[in-house]
Amino acid sequence: MGRSITRVLGVAGAAGLLLATTACGGKGFDDASAPAQQQAGPAKLTVLIASSSAAEQHAVEQAATAWATRTGSTVEVVAANDMAQQLSQGFAAGSPPDVFMADASKFAGYAQNMLPYGDSLPYKDDIYPSLRQTFTLDDKLYCAPKDFSTLALVINNELWTRAGLTDQDVPTTWEQLRAVAQKLTTGEQTGLVFASEHNRVNAFLVQAGGWVLDDKQTTATADTPQNLQALQYVRDLLASGAAKFPKQIGAGDSIEALGKGKAAMVVEGNWIVGAMRNDYPDVKYRAVPLPAGPAGAGTLSFTQCWGIAAQSHYQEQAKDLVNAFMDPQQQLTFAETFGVMPARQSVREQYQQRFPDQAAFLQGAEHAHGPVTPTAMDAVMADFDAQLQQLPDADPKRILEQLQRNASAALGAR
Amino acid sequence: MSVHLSDRPVAAAAPPRRARVNRRGAGGDGAVGWLFLAPAIVVLGLFLVLPIVMAFWVSVSDWKGTGSPFASSVGFVGADNYAALLTTPGLAQQNFGTSVRNNLYFVLFVVPVQTALALFLAVVLNQRRLRGRNFFRTALYFPTVTSSVAISVVFLFLFSSSGTVNAALGLFGVDGPSWFADPRGIFHLALQGLGVVAADHPPAALADTSVLGLSLWDWLSGPSVAMCSIIILVVWTSTGGYMLMFYAALQNIPVSLDEAALIDGATPVQRFWRITVPQLRPTLFLVLTLGLIGTWQVFDQVYVMSRGAPANTTLTPAYLSYSTSFIGKQWGQGSAIAFMLFVLIVALTLVQRWILRERDRTPRRAGR
């Protein structure tokens, strides 16, 4: 009995090894360093998008179909359900999507799998410099930033006037924000709601003159008096009950809270425009710039770019498709359908004229801070989120000390 | 070869006794046996052995997630990935420690509760006088066959801070917690409620000693309020399946045993503990083992409902392995977590087997 088991194991092991060696010779395990063979003519492209809404997916599909009809190619637009997982799987298997949306905070992790085509774009200088900077690594612009968004204070008009507030009461400082939030907090309704993550809370750090890392993103600057002041302000807001996280009031996210009247004010980005139109078309709201902190006005900017896979067999065609997406008129169409701001400066005026309601978001662009981008910081920021979720019970000083320690370790290891 | 092949139908047609005799002499039958086994071996090798070998290699390499892990550019880093999780103080170690703590409480609560509940329900169903048995059997089994994702989404609504559960608690004047946003551990809450320790001043002896990057005080937190809702969900979904196993085993126990005990004057409680439970021991082992393995691997509920939030209190090793690999792109570390989870599960299953076997002997000796 014992002998036969050893034999079975032996054979199974041998079979496994045999398969391992044959599998490695197969197509699925191509060595990534070898450049992908290029094919000319009509292409068959796959575009993987992380769609913020059905409206966005539809708009991208339309633009892609228009390009495909013009060039005789076929394009399949796939909305990712788990972007990180699907992209990673594609890269590991050697069959990534030809074109994909890469988020600014994740892009550095994909860089080795991306075709750095940004510097060859004829309209490169028309793209906002701060956006170009975000997607530049080792002096190479890796991809074309597709658009950008900033955070603003979004107010439910009805709840605002019901509380007896007027246009003069729109908060422009932290103190005023605290006062109106308190005034707007009644029973079932919370004055101010924002997600319990660094992508919202960090706006307060910027307003206090602080940030997690230095400008070069090589040194941690988390444990500073400015950051502490910001977190203490946030902690006090939460402790007073005038501010809450969406989950604490039974809402999936801030937009839901605003739409259902559970929140009078929320901190959200441009995407709220499309979402409100779809889900709560009857709710009247307006967006105003985030109130200034002790160090002045500040907000966060978010952006994604059109990445092209280095392993794609249709790189030229993929670039052409990206150019179609980046066309100024197409950028305005995207802006209209899902609220983002065009990445190209030449349509700034037109954007302003057509969407006066969104002036607050565009205004934010001037003092917006981009995301933390080093790949090693990913886990650190996730842990920071976990700490923020413990507010208002947790100690801001300890949160920042932990962030400083983790960030230093993560950056030092690289 | 042809001789042996022509022998085979005869051997197969012969009565079992002759077949056994035949097998001893015929060496060629072995080769034929291997031939018939080959498809299974290939399938197992391709989909079981090879992935495990690859995963193990990734856990000791610096693979970046591109191309083959066996490519020449991928380097061997020894036990670095394991060291980052076990011995090097830092975020990776702390997250791993936190996930093990969370899952430990999860297992400690789910396994005993679901086993006891499943046994109880099976015994109730097994009552001969019970009416509508088929209805109850189906109703109780239903959660198990429903998709865990669908159930998770329903629970998100039930346990939302303005959801059904809190509305029901409100009827009794209880102000329910905001379940999925509440990271406080229930043991901590109990200690604070009893006034034993203050919230922000844990005993120094516990707060200052740390194991796996987590202070002893944090190890003793108990499951968080958010984790409790996942515990309730999992108990509710899995109990039905285990109940069915107990039920099948109960049906196999001859009624005469119970009747003999009845004649000897045993009370219902005595009959349950002395007659029924010992008969169920193999099933109990099965249920506990499956429960243990299933609960240590909990992933889908966490993925759908919380993704580790709030404050990492629903983070589990299985989810951490996924997020470290796919989101953090530390493929080696992600695989290392998976392997440590594997070792942990095997070790705990062996321990559990040993405990159940010990118990098996003692009462029998005592009985004689």
Side-chain angles (χ1 to χ4, degrees):
Chain A
M1 190 65 187
R3 236 188 75 206
S4 68
I5 284 178
T6 4
R7 264 172 69 188
V8 170
L9 286 178
V11 171
L17 277 179
L18 191 74
L19 286 163
T21 42
T22 47
C24 289
K27 188 180 171 286
F29 289 116
D30 275 342
D31 213 323
S33 48
Q37 201 179 354
Q38 293 305 304
Q39 291 172 27
K44 204 170 172 302
L45 295 180
T46 309
V47 181
L48 186 68
I49 62 169
S51 167
S52 64
S53 61
E56 176 170 8
Q57 190 186 342
H58 191 64
V60 174
E61 269 167 8
Q62 271 190 334
T65 314
W67 176 84
T69 339
R70 191 154 45 78
T71 56
S73 304
T74 48
V75 183
E76 192 194 357
V77 177
V78 183
N81 142 46
D82 187 334
M83 191 74 181
Q85 188 262 331
Q86 278 166 275
L87 262 188
S88 298
Q89 193 177 332
F91 289 134
S95 56
D98 302 276
V99 179
F100 54 88
M101 286 185 188
D103 191 80
S105 62
K106 309 269 190 244
F107 130 85
Y110 300 126
Q112 56 161 345
N113 297 308
M114 286 166 66
L115 177 75
Y117 68 93
D119 291 311
S120 66
L121 294 173
Y123 47 84
K124 181 186 160 193
D125 294 331
D126 191 25
I127 298 169
Y128 286 97
S130 62
L131 298 181
R132 284 196 314 241
Q133 186 53 42
T134 304
F135 294 108
T136 300
L137 198 72
D138 300 331
D139 292 329
K140 277 186 284 191
L141 176 61
Y142 268 78
C143 48
K146 75 179 188 76
D147 50 41
F148 73 109
S149 315
T150 61
L151 294 179
L153 187 68
V154 186
I155 300 171
N156 181 321
N157 287 346
E158 195 194 328
L159 302 182
W160 182 263
T161 41
R162 199 190 290 165
L165 294 165
T166 63
D167 286 357
Q168 270 75 51
D169 298 311
V170 169
T172 54
T173 64
W174 278 6
E175 262 323 301
Q176 291 171 2
L177 178 66
R178 194 202 308 259
V180 292
Q182 241 137 26
K183 201 159 184 189
L184 285 163
T185 305
T186 53
E188 294 289 286
Q189 170 192 326
T190 307
L192 178 66
V193 168
F194 50 88
S196 57
E197 49 180 274
H198 66 270
N199 282 333
R200 301 291 178 281
V201 175
N202 278 1
F204 293 98
L205 303 191
V206 180
Q207 290 154 14
W211 188 247
V212 183
L213 305 177
D214 68 345
D215 287 344
K216 287 185 193 151
Q217 304 209 77
T218 50
T219 318
T221 57
D223 193 9
T224 61
Q226 289 87 347
N227 289 342
L228 184 62
Q229 192 185 7
L231 271 202
Q232 270 168 348
Y233 174 73
V234 172
R235 198 252 331 253
D236 293 345
L237 266 184
L238 290 163
S240 72
K244 282 203 171 96
F245 296 137
K247 280 205 178 138
Q248 291 173 322
I249 54 169
D253 55 31
S254 304
I255 298 177
E256 187 188 327
L258 187 77
K260 289 189 174 165
K262 289 178 178 175
M265 301 185 289
V266 299
V267 179
E268 277 298 329
N270 299 56
W271 51 83
I272 197 172
V273 176
M276 288 297 283
R277 189 165 48 211
N278 272 333
D279 300 341
Y280 309 99
D282 302 329
V283 177
K284 298 274 178 290
Y285 65 92
R286 64 165 154 181
V288 299
L290 286 177
T299 184
L300 302 180
S301 74
F302 303 94
T303 177
Q304 295 190 321
C305 79
W306 290 113
I308 295 181
Q311 284 162 307
S312 167
H313 296 290
Y314 302 107
Q315 287 171 356
E316 281 310 312
Q317 294 92 326
K319 272 192 240 178
D320 198 45
L321 175 63
V322 171
N323 289 343
F325 287 152
M326 293 298 291
D327 175 78
Q329 286 315 306
Q330 183 62 51
Q331 290 259 302
L332 282 174
T333 312
F334 283 154
E336 182 163 13
T337 21
F338 51 95
V340 289
M341 291 180 284
R344 298 182 64 162
Q345 303 176 55
S346 55
V347 287
R348 188 190 161 106
E349 295 280 313
Q350 288 181 56
Y351 177 83
Q352 260 174 324
Q353 281 162 14
R354 277 174 67 175
F355 310 105
D357 297 355
Q358 293 171 44
F361 294 112
L362 195 61
Q363 208 177 320
E366 276 140 48
H367 30 251
H369 206 298
V372 170
T373 56
T375 317
M377 285 295 291
D378 223 72
V380 177
M381 296 315 276
D383 184 67
F384 184 38
D385 278 351
Q387 302 304 317
L388 290 176
Q389 284 155 11
Q390 297 188 37
L391 285 173
D393 296 334
D395 175 15
K397 179 76 179 153
R398 274 183 60 177
I399 294 180
L400 290 173
E401 279 168 3
Q402 184 166 338
L403 178 61
Q404 174 78 24
R405 201 165 52 239
N406 290 336
S408 305
L411 295 170
R414 289 292 170 280
Chain B
M1 193 68 184
S2 62
V3 180
H4 293 303
L5 273 176
S6 64
D7 264 349
R8 270 185 27 82
V10 181
R17 247 180 142 207
R18 268 210 55 204
R20 215 172 292 147
V21 175
N22 253 10
R23 201 200 286 158
R24 203 190 298 150
D29 267 4
V32 176
W34 284 117
L35 191 70
F36 278 93
L37 273 179
I41 290 175
V42 168
V43 169
L44 284 182
L46 189 60
F47 295 108
L48 197 73
V49 180
L50 178 63
I52 291 176
V53 171
M54 277 176 90
F56 182 72
W57 163 246
V58 169
S59 80
V60 292
S61 78
D62 59 358
W63 186 54
K64 298 269 191 333
T66 312
S68 166
F70 295 124
S72 53
S73 56
V74 178
F76 174 71
V77 296
D80 280 9
N81 291 321
Y82 292 89
L85 295 166
L86 294 175
T87 53
T88 321
L91 193 56
Q93 188 204 34
Q94 192 190 331
N95 281 341
F96 182 65
T98 309
S99 71
V100 170
R101 174 203 63 186
N102 297 339
N103 216 333
L104 191 67
Y105 284 116
F106 180 76
V107 173
L108 281 180
F109 277 74
V110 171
V111 174
V113 173
Q114 78 184 8
T115 310
L117 203 59
L119 182 58
F120 171 76
L121 291 175
V123 170
V124 171
L125 273 189
N126 202 35
Q127 300 295 317
R128 263 157 290 165
R129 276 164 299 170
L130 184 72
R131 277 169 175 243
R133 192 188 305 177
N134 279 334
F135 167 76
F136 285 112
R137 206 165 46 189
T138 315
L140 293 171
Y141 189 54
F142 205 73
T144 308
V145 290
T146 313
S147 147
S148 63
V149 173
I151 290 178
S152 301
V153 173
V154 171
F155 265 66
L156 275 181
F157 287 112
L158 289 179
F159 280 91
S160 103
S161 60
S162 56
T164 319
V165 172
N166 277 1
L169 287 175
L171 292 179
F172 300 96
V174 180
D175 194 12
S178 49
W179 294 89
F180 284 109
D182 200 334
R184 295 170 301 170
I186 58 167
F187 291 177
H188 279 180
L189 284 177
L191 287 176
Q192 283 154 23
L194 295 171
V196 182
V197 271
D200 35 2
H201 294 291
L206 294 175
D208 296 342
T209 324
S210 73
V211 178
L212 273 180
L214 220 58
S215 73
L216 286 180
W217 171 245
D218 284 332
W219 276 100
L220 293 175
S221 70
S224 70
V225 176
M227 186 55 116
C228 286
S229 40
I230 299 187
I231 290 175
I232 294 171
L233 177 148
V234 171
V235 167
W236 184 71
T237 37
S238 55
T239 298
Y242 297 129
M243 175 203 75
L244 218 58
M245 291 178 192
F246 279 127
Y247 182 69
L250 282 172
Q251 301 256 298
N252 272 340
I253 300 179
V255 187
S256 53
L257 272 179
D258 213 39
E259 283 168 350
L262 197 64
I263 291 165
D264 286 349
T267 65
V269 176
Q270 279 175 326
R271 270 182 286 145
F272 176 74
W273 286 111
R274 298 287 171 85
I275 305 292
T276 313
V277 172
Q279 298 271 339
L280 288 177
R281 188 149 297 147
T283 316
L284 196 64
F285 176 70
L286 177 74
V287 167
L288 285 175
T289 309
L290 289 179
L292 203 65
I293 295 173
T295 47
W296 271 106
Q297 290 180 337
V298 60
F299 177 83
D300 27 1
Q301 288 86 356
V302 174
Y303 181 80
V304 174
M305 297 169 85
S306 64
R307 304 208 160 205
N312 283 345
T313 56
T314 60
L315 191 70
T316 63
Y319 183 77
L320 183 66
S321 168
Y322 157 81
S323 68
T324 309
S325 310
F326 284 99
I327 301 170
K329 303 201 180 51
Q330 305 263 10
W331 298 87
Q333 237 173 59
S335 299
I337 295 172
F339 266 91
M340 283 195 287
L341 187 60
F342 168 72
V343 170
L344 191 74
I345 291 175
V346 170
L348 286 175
T349 308
L350 289 176
V351 168
Q352 182 217 337
R353 210 173 104 153
W354 178 74
I355 292 174
L356 279 190
R357 189 178 279 174
E358 270 309 284
R359 273 207 211 124
D360 198 26
R361 282 182 202 137
T362 345
R364 213 183 288 162
R365 226 178 278 138
R368 268 167 206 180

